[in-house]
Amino acid sequence: MSYLFPTYARWEVEVSHAEGSYLYDTNGKKYLDFVSGIAVCNLGHRPKKVLEAIEEQLQNVWHVSNLFQQPIQEELAEILVRHSSGDAVFFANSGAEANEAAIKLAKKYTGKHKIITFQKSFHGRTFLTMTATGQEKVQEGYGPLAPTFEYLPYNDVEKVKQLQDDSVAAIMLEVVQGEGGVVPGKKEFLQAVEQKCKELNALLIIDEVQTGIGRTGKPFAYQHFDLDPDIITVAKGLGSGIPVGAMIGKEKLKAAFSPGSHGSTFGGNYIAMAAALATVKEIFHPAFLTEVKDKSTYFQQLLEKTLNNTSGFELRGLGLMVGIDCHQNVNDLISTLREKGLLVLPAGPNVIRLLPPLTVTKEEIDQAVAMIQETLLKVSEPSLQ
């Protein structure tokens, strides 16, 4: 009997400890972890500098509330601003909270009410961000949803150009749809969305919860496409496993979030700030990001070579966020890989999602690709087996 709500389809794995790119279960089995806590442990498990920062902060103060000046918040906010197109930061505890703040801010600043998102998007599981998510399976069973959301097809430039609605407060999107199948946005589409925001006097919100903090080889994924968003949301990779989220916005938006307009009891607490500050100092270093790009190229080229010899699979992604569309249900494939000692995720029913830590080595990439090749060959055309 479990005393937990059955909200998760849990694997039959109980983790004992973790280090770097590896998890170890209570039976002593070792797993190469290409889940990374769902794009959270970007520096691998228990990174030394983050651990030291947390331990040092634990000796001083844990929590005082946001009524007090907290210089560590200012230090982290300055780094996030310096590496993005934003000017001010609001700290939350998760990606859903950061997206909730972004939607509230867009409505309050513009005085308008409609938010445009995209089919197969994922923005969170609070009532508002669940409504923003363009997937019926996430919304089923909850009755009438929050009003004034509209969903357009992703990567459809013409549908964006046809949009004419003065009530639109913001258009919100992921540069790479994660839960929707690891689908990168096309540059023409993303830039068309930005142009449409200007035409409608609406804000551009980019959800970088999964793609941000170095995952694609840049601090934020939108930077691959010459975009200038009004609001950026981030969470997963920001705290190396300590819960933290952030909304980054333009200077013009600051007045709309005056005292009392929004808040969070635990948002920006000292422990989360210590973890996040140590994380971004490491990841945003140019040499580190250069290594991520190099390993991303190596990983994708090796997978392409492997899949060229294996029928019926399609590779897509950006940086170290990679999907293999198997054009069939992948649950059994993921289970087989787990038995072999490689942890991967689904992204929808037919896609294997690969999210290695940004610190992954090329040797670990080789090991993972070998296990993937062996597993996929068993379900490819008989002539290739």
Side-chain angles (χ1 to χ4, degrees):
M1 174 182 173
S2 173
Y3 295 97
L4 301 172
F5 276 102
T7 49
Y8 306 104
R10 296 185 190 273
W11 298 340
E12 293 299 319
V13 177
E14 185 177 337
V15 177
S16 166
H17 60 285
E19 190 78 32
S21 299
Y22 295 93
L23 290 177
Y24 301 81
D25 71 15
T26 51
N27 296 316
K29 185 171 181 176
K30 180 179 179 181
Y31 299 88
L32 182 54
D33 185 9
F34 274 39
V35 173
S36 301
I38 314 182
V40 167
C41 303
N42 284 3
L43 290 174
H45 292 282
R46 298 174 59 245
K48 184 174 183 290
K49 290 183 179 178
V50 179
L51 178 60
E52 290 173 349
I54 294 169
E55 288 177 338
E56 181 179 351
Q57 187 61 56
L58 285 169
Q59 301 305 315
N60 295 319
V61 58
W62 299 6
H63 177 80
V64 295
S65 93
N66 284 301
L67 296 174
F68 293 83
Q69 298 290 333
Q70 298 184 47
I72 194 170
Q73 289 186 356
E74 292 286 353
E75 186 178 0
L76 176 58
E78 189 275 332
I79 293 174
L80 292 172
V81 163
R82 179 157 36 94
H83 288 87
S84 73
S85 62
D87 301 295
V89 179
F90 172 84
F91 288 114
N93 305 289
S94 68
E97 288 184 34
N99 284 337
E100 186 104 5
I103 293 167
K104 286 179 65 176
L105 178 57
K107 290 188 173 191
K108 195 165 189 292
Y109 173 78
T110 63
K112 298 189 285 184
H113 61 274
K114 184 176 284 188
I115 306 291
I116 305 295
T117 62
F118 293 88
Q119 294 167 9
K120 296 187 178 180
S121 62
F122 185 86
H123 298 294
R125 293 187 184 274
T126 65
F127 200 79
L128 191 61
T129 59
M130 174 186 72
T131 307
T133 294
Q135 299 188 53
E136 288 185 6
K137 67 179 184 180
V138 175
Q139 302 168 343
E140 288 175 356
Y142 293 101
L145 300 174
T148 67
F149 282 84
E150 182 178 329
Y151 316 103
L152 297 182
Y154 193 71
N155 270 333
D156 190 327
V157 175
E158 290 308 311
K159 289 292 185 182
V160 171
K161 289 182 177 180
Q162 291 167 13
L163 181 63
Q164 298 295 332
D165 190 337
D166 290 336
S167 68
V168 173
I171 303 180
M172 183 177 190
L173 58 79
E174 302 156 277
V175 171
V176 182
Q177 288 193 326
E179 301 292 331
V182 191
V183 180
K186 298 175 183 177
K187 186 172 184 177
E188 180 187 8
F189 164 74
L190 296 171
Q191 293 184 342
V193 171
E194 183 175 56
Q195 179 58 36
K196 181 55 65 173
C197 286
K198 293 177 181 176
E199 292 175 13
L200 298 177
N201 197 25
L203 301 182
L204 174 59
I205 303 172
I206 295 189
D207 179 339
E208 292 265 7
V209 169
Q210 190 165 159
T211 54
I213 315 300
R215 173 57 53 182
T216 66
K218 289 182 179 290
F220 301 95
Y222 77 84
Q223 293 165 334
H224 291 277
F225 302 98
D226 300 321
L227 302 174
D228 185 23
D230 297 289
I231 299 174
I232 307 146
T233 58
V234 65
K236 288 181 180 292
L238 182 57
S240 292
I242 302 301
V244 60
M247 179 193 70
I248 309 165
K250 294 284 195 182
E251 176 72 25
K252 64 184 180 182
L253 306 175
K254 289 174 73 173
F257 256 19
S258 57
S261 58
H262 194 56
S264 170
T265 297
F266 297 109
N269 80 85
Y270 280 103
I271 307 304
M273 294 295 94
L277 187 58
T279 298
V280 297
K281 282 182 175 179
E282 189 109 352
I283 291 177
F284 286 173
H285 193 285
F288 184 94
L289 290 172
T290 297
E291 285 188 15
V292 173
K293 293 174 188 175
D294 177 56
K295 287 183 284 193
S296 300
T297 300
Y298 180 81
F299 188 28
Q300 295 203 32
Q301 288 179 347
L302 187 59
L303 280 170
E304 285 172 1
K305 181 180 177 181
T306 299
L307 295 179
N308 279 340
N309 298 321
T310 311
S311 177
F313 303 98
E314 176 188 347
L315 181 71
R316 54 179 179 256
L318 184 64
L320 287 175
M321 182 177 179
V322 179
I324 303 173
D325 193 334
C326 300
H327 304 290
Q328 60 178 291
N329 191 284
V330 296
N331 286 341
D332 289 344
L333 295 174
I334 290 172
S335 294
T336 299
L337 287 168
R338 190 159 63 244
E339 290 169 6
K340 292 179 182 294
L342 177 65
L343 300 176
V344 299
L345 285 169
N350 299 329
V351 177
I352 295 173
R353 183 173 19 162
L354 306 168
L355 297 165
L358 307 186
T359 51
V360 68
T361 66
K362 289 183 178 179
E363 290 75 19
E364 290 165 347
I365 289 172
D366 291 343
Q367 294 170 29
V369 172
M371 286 186 272
I372 291 168
Q373 182 179 31
E374 182 181 1
T375 301
L376 296 189
L377 276 172
K378 291 182 179 179
V379 296
S380 64
E381 292 182 358
S383 61
L384 294 174
Q385 294 185 24

